[in-house]
Amino acid sequence: MNDLVRQHTALSESDLEWLHLLVSEWQLLSDLSFADLVLWVPTLDGTRYVSVAQMRPNTGPTSYQDDMVGHLVPRGRRPLLDAALDEGRIVREGDPEWREEVPVRVESIPVRREGRVLGVIARNTNLLTVRTPSRLELTYLQSASDLAQMIAAGSFPFPGQQVDMDASPRAGDGLIRLDADGIVQYASPNALSAYHRLGLASDLVGHHLGELTAQLAPSRGPVDEAIAKLASGYAPREAEVEGSGGVIQLRAIPLKPKGTRIGSLVLLRDVTELRRRERELITKDATIREIHHRVKNNLQTVAALLRLQSRRIESEEGREALNEAVRRVGSIAIVHETLSQNLDERVEFDEIADRVLAMVAEISPGKVACRRTGRFGILDAEVATPLAMVLTEILQNALEHAFAQGEHGTVEVSAVRGGTREDARLLITVRDDGRGLPEGFDPQKAGNLGLQIVRTLVEGELGGAFDMVAAPERGTQVVLDVPVRAEK
């Protein structure tokens, strides 16, 4: 719509915003009218109309099989559009049109804003299935007539009340018609069922909806007054009401076809099951986060016990083995701590990598500088946990074997994400400027426990590739190629 309006018309940006506001609301008019709506706006030179938006009803058959948006019609070809634009009134004169052997009643509704007519809504009703209307259909049609008059007068839609058509209740979900005093004149079967879910044992007709709704809501005090005012339809508002047996979403629309409020429409939807599922998901998320938190605490307890044990071992080799185990447990604990703070099972791995670097660097404080370049990005938990262990083992191996006691050096971890969305990859390089690999060293056959862990996790759990080679200038370079899910 933006492109069509800016290309073909002289409307301002504020006028365009008004049309957007109208289009966000007009599904209601279409459903209440059982009719298709097409919004026509005069072109810049005034010789033609351009259709900038279209809506089909959910409550009846369409009268337009084709998409009308973008069509240009010369002025004079559709007299009802001309009359509505020039005279600023709703035009219903004329015989039905025949389209593909289907009779269609055409009406034109001027779209007014601040005293100016911006365009015309063509309301097209398929008459093929016309029959004696029910009370529900009569209420729909009368409400549609009131809304059409408000559009023609420039009092609908309501400024500042942009509506999400997917989230807001629709006419078919439940409709209540109130008089000027807030007394229910008509309630659709769906609306009555929703109120029965709240705990109502009688009919709605004849009751003051605001007072009745406040009685059914369990809260007391100012909230009751707000609910009562909203359900009375005095102002255009939305809210949810929770009773003992369910939750309903309410939307009030004051009807002022001639400038004075004659009543209101209240649209409502039973959202009891939706809210129940949402609460279950929230509870599930909280439970998962609590599990990760407890796992982290348990791992930290295990690490603390291993540290205590290492202090009581006289053997230097045994003490170092326990310290290695402490670092392995700690790397897993870091992942679970991060997961305990997230709503999903995905983590920002850069923070985890930095903490692993800091933890492992404690082996030789002040001697070897550890740094990270590039970005790991967001990873799934099933990738993050083994990758944290792999990174710990590789860094630990580099700091222990690449440098002599007290020797200064650098260990750099770089990460690059690449590949296609269907085959996203994470390329990780750990490079040191230490003494390099022993002659004849084969990383795929080395019996070192740390390298065995790396090979098992990278190739088995992560489904990636692992290699350890001499760095281009000096030292050793470890390369990991791991498949990952593309970031959103």
Side-chain angles (χ1 to χ4, degrees):
M1 185 167 71
N2 289 347
D3 294 339
L4 289 170
V5 168
R6 290 167 181 157
Q7 179 182 353
H8 294 286
T9 78
L11 297 182
S12 66
E13 289 298 316
S14 58
D15 292 334
L16 179 57
E17 283 300 315
W18 183 262
L19 295 184
H20 275 291
L21 195 60
L22 172 66
V23 168
S24 75
E25 293 272 22
W26 71 343
Q27 178 71 64
L28 175 61
L29 178 62
S30 178
D31 290 345
L32 294 175
S33 304
F34 308 98
D36 290 75
L37 306 178
V38 180
L39 177 58
W40 297 92
V41 179
T43 57
L44 184 62
D45 57 11
T47 61
R48 295 180 296 175
Y49 298 97
V50 58
S51 59
V52 297
Q54 179 178 359
M55 179 58 66
R56 293 182 173 89
N58 294 316
T59 51
T62 182
S63 55
Y64 278 117
Q65 298 298 328
D66 300 325
D67 187 1
M68 296 297 296
V69 175
H71 283 216
L72 290 164
V73 174
R75 185 178 171 88
R77 180 175 295 179
R78 300 194 176 183
L80 296 186
L81 294 182
D82 299 338
L85 183 68
D86 296 339
E87 301 172 23
R89 65 180 179 88
I90 298 175
V91 182
R92 295 190 176 92
E93 297 88 352
D95 297 326
E97 297 180 4
W98 287 84
R99 299 177 189 161
E100 298 179 0
E101 299 183 355
V102 175
V104 177
R105 182 175 64 242
V106 181
E107 304 165 88
S108 295
I109 305 167
V111 178
R112 192 183 302 273
R113 175 179 180 263
E114 297 180 350
R116 297 179 299 113
V117 177
L118 307 182
V120 179
I121 294 176
R123 182 164 56 178
N124 304 269
T125 307
N126 188 324
L127 300 177
L128 197 62
T129 58
V130 168
R131 53 184 173 77
T132 302
S134 64
R135 178 75 187 281
L136 171 68
E137 292 165 334
L138 287 173
T139 303
Y140 272 31
L141 293 171
Q142 180 58 54
S143 301
S145 177
D146 294 335
L147 287 178
Q149 291 182 59
M150 291 170 66
I151 292 172
S155 58
F156 187 82
F158 304 110
Q161 292 286 323
Q162 186 98 22
V163 174
D164 183 351
M165 288 190 293
D166 293 329
S168 187
R170 299 189 178 189
D173 296 324
L175 179 143
I176 298 174
R177 175 85 185 214
L178 307 179
D179 65 13
D181 297 321
I183 306 300
V184 178
Q185 295 179 312
Y186 175 79
S188 71
N190 284 346
L192 187 58
S193 296
Y195 266 82
H196 284 165
R197 190 83 178 260
L198 284 183
L200 178 68
S202 61
D203 196 359
L204 276 170
V205 176
H207 289 279
H208 189 282
L209 187 65
E211 296 175 359
L212 181 64
T213 305
Q215 292 171 10
L216 294 172
S219 56
R220 293 290 177 265
V223 176
D224 279 357
E225 296 177 10
I227 290 174
K229 189 171 182 180
L230 179 141
S232 299
Y234 294 119
R237 293 179 184 171
E238 288 193 42
E240 284 190 7
V241 177
E242 183 169 359
S244 58
V247 184
I248 61 172
Q249 183 181 10
L250 295 176
R251 182 189 175 203
I253 303 172
L255 297 176
K256 304 176 181 179
K258 297 181 180 179
T260 303
R261 194 174 70 86
I262 63 168
S264 306
L265 275 184
V266 177
L267 305 179
L268 59 127
R269 175 187 295 164
D270 184 348
V271 293
T272 305
E273 292 304 313
L274 178 62
R275 296 296 174 260
R276 183 185 62 80
R277 288 196 296 270
E278 287 177 352
R279 287 168 185 161
E280 286 179 352
L281 287 174
I282 291 171
T283 302
K284 179 182 177 184
D285 288 340
T287 302
I288 291 173
R289 289 199 298 273
E290 179 63 21
I291 289 171
H292 285 302
H293 182 71
R294 293 190 182 189
V295 169
K296 182 263 297 184
N297 288 344
N298 291 337
L299 289 172
Q300 288 179 338
T301 301
V302 171
L305 291 172
L306 290 174
R307 273 193 215 97
L308 288 172
Q309 186 66 46
S310 70
R311 291 171 190 159
R312 287 165 170 75
I313 293 181
E314 296 181 1
S315 166
E316 182 66 28
E317 185 178 348
R319 187 181 303 114
E320 184 55 37
L322 285 177
N323 288 334
E324 285 185 9
V326 167
R327 287 189 286 272
R328 287 164 185 155
V329 172
S331 65
I332 303 173
I334 290 171
V335 177
H336 282 282
E337 182 179 4
T338 306
L339 287 169
S340 71
Q341 301 167 1
N342 291 349
L343 292 176
D344 56 12
E345 290 290 286
R346 307 194 78 193
V347 295
E348 178 65 59
F349 196 80
D350 295 312
E351 179 186 350
I352 294 174
D354 291 340
R355 292 180 63 180
V356 167
L357 273 167
M359 178 181 67
V360 177
E362 294 176 359
I363 299 174
S364 53
K367 305 299 182 183
V368 179
C370 297
R371 63 171 180 261
R372 173 179 63 85
T373 61
R375 180 172 175 271
F376 287 87
I378 298 174
L379 300 177
D380 293 330
E382 58 264 29
V383 174
T385 302
L387 186 59
M389 281 201 67
V390 167
L391 197 57
T392 301
E393 294 299 332
I394 294 173
L395 289 170
Q396 191 168 279
N397 188 71
L399 292 171
E400 285 183 1
H401 302 293
F403 305 97
Q405 185 69 29
E407 184 180 0
H408 291 265
T410 302
V411 176
E412 180 180 299
V413 178
S414 67
V416 178
R417 294 188 75 133
T420 64
R421 186 169 184 82
E422 294 75 20
D423 183 27
R425 316 287 298 184
L426 177 60
L427 185 66
I428 304 166
T429 305
V430 180
R431 183 183 296 111
D432 66 67
D433 55 2
R435 69 185 67 173
L437 295 172
E439 187 174 346
F441 178 80
D442 185 354
Q444 303 300 329
K445 296 180 180 178
N448 181 305
L449 176 60
L451 288 180
Q452 288 181 16
I453 292 174
V454 170
R455 283 198 302 270
T456 301
L457 292 178
V458 172
E459 297 172 359
E461 283 201 42
L462 297 175
F466 155 75
D467 197 10
M468 178 183 288
V469 296
E473 296 179 1
R474 181 189 176 198
T476 306
Q477 179 173 286
V478 179
V479 180
L480 306 175
D481 184 4
V482 178
V484 293
R485 183 155 56 127
E487 289 188 276
K488 294 182 180 178

